[in-house]
Amino acid sequence: MNKVLYFFILMFLVSCTSNTIYKKPKDLIPKDSMVNLLTDMYLASSAKNIKNKNLKKLSNYMVVVYEKYKIDTVRFDTSNKYYTSRIDEYSEMLNLVKKNIDSLYDIYITKQRIQDSLDRPNVLNLTGTETEKQIDKKLLLKGKELPEKLEELDKGNHR
């Protein structure tokens, strides 16, 4: 009886330490596209409880992400399994996703700080007729110089 028990324990331990490396699929999503896709998927999954500008909740933003990248769930699943089987590669990709989300957050915060302040000088030289995309473009062009200017203005050096 003890031999049977030891056999099952050994089989259990061996089966738990499987290191499956999947073969590269034919329709693998390239690494850079996968990083962008994962970034959008994280944003979509976090936005599912947020109302859009029409005050409605879209039940599944993932469909929009799949349409944007012109892929289906099967292609994503096979690519994701391939990359997750290579943990070092996948962890690098997730670090890039985090950097993307952090930079989007920084842009959002900077944009909010500009829009929320009524007494600040116009640090972006806006005329008032720009579209949101044009404002975003100016924010990106200003780069790191803009948050530094805003920091000075917050300290009261603009008077």
Side-chain angles (χ1 to χ4, degrees):
M1 179 70 178
N2 282 340
K3 289 182 181 181
V4 173
L5 182 63
Y6 288 131
F7 175 74
F8 281 117
I9 290 173
L10 179 66
M11 291 304 293
F12 178 73
L13 291 175
V14 170
S15 67
C16 290
T17 60
S18 172
N19 290 329
T20 305
I21 303 292
Y22 292 98
K23 292 180 183 176
K24 189 174 183 177
K26 295 176 191 172
D27 58 350
L28 180 69
I29 300 171
K31 198 183 233 184
D32 57 337
S33 296
M34 190 71 170
V35 168
N36 293 334
L37 175 64
L38 288 170
T39 301
D40 287 345
M41 290 181 92
Y42 280 116
L43 292 174
S45 69
S46 65
K48 69 181 172 185
N49 293 322
I50 306 291
K51 293 180 181 177
N52 63 15
K53 64 182 175 183
N54 298 328
L55 299 177
K56 295 181 182 177
K57 289 183 182 178
L58 185 61
S59 60
N60 191 0
Y61 287 105
M62 290 298 177
V63 174
V64 177
V65 173
Y66 288 134
E67 287 174 0
K68 177 181 176 182
Y69 291 94
K70 295 177 177 67
I71 63 166
D72 58 2
T73 56
V74 174
R75 183 172 179 206
F76 171 74
D77 287 340
T78 57
S79 295
N80 199 39
K81 281 181 185 175
Y82 171 77
Y83 286 123
T84 54
S85 71
R86 288 160 169 73
I87 193 68
D88 293 336
E89 213 173 318
Y90 198 66
S91 109
E92 288 175 18
M93 291 169 59
L94 290 178
N95 286 334
L96 290 173
V97 168
K98 184 181 181 327
K99 284 181 185 177
N100 288 347
I101 291 173
D102 288 345
S103 67
L104 289 172
Y105 177 76
D106 290 343
I107 289 172
Y108 173 77
I109 292 299
T110 303
K111 195 171 167 182
Q112 281 299 116
R113 288 177 64 196
I114 290 170
Q115 290 176 351
D116 289 348
S117 179
L118 298 175
D119 65 340
R120 249 184 217 172
N122 196 345
V123 292
L124 284 180
N125 300 323
L126 300 177
T127 62
T129 60
E130 288 87 354
T131 64
E132 186 144 347
K133 284 186 179 182
Q134 290 170 327
I135 293 171
D136 289 342
K137 187 175 181 181
K138 284 187 177 188
L139 278 171
L140 290 172
L141 291 175
K142 288 284 185 174
K144 293 187 179 194
E145 144 192 342
L146 186 61
E148 291 169 2
K149 281 185 180 180
L150 290 171
E151 193 69 32
E152 288 176 19
L153 294 175
D154 285 343
K155 290 179 183 176
N157 296 339
H158 66 284
R159 296 187 196 269

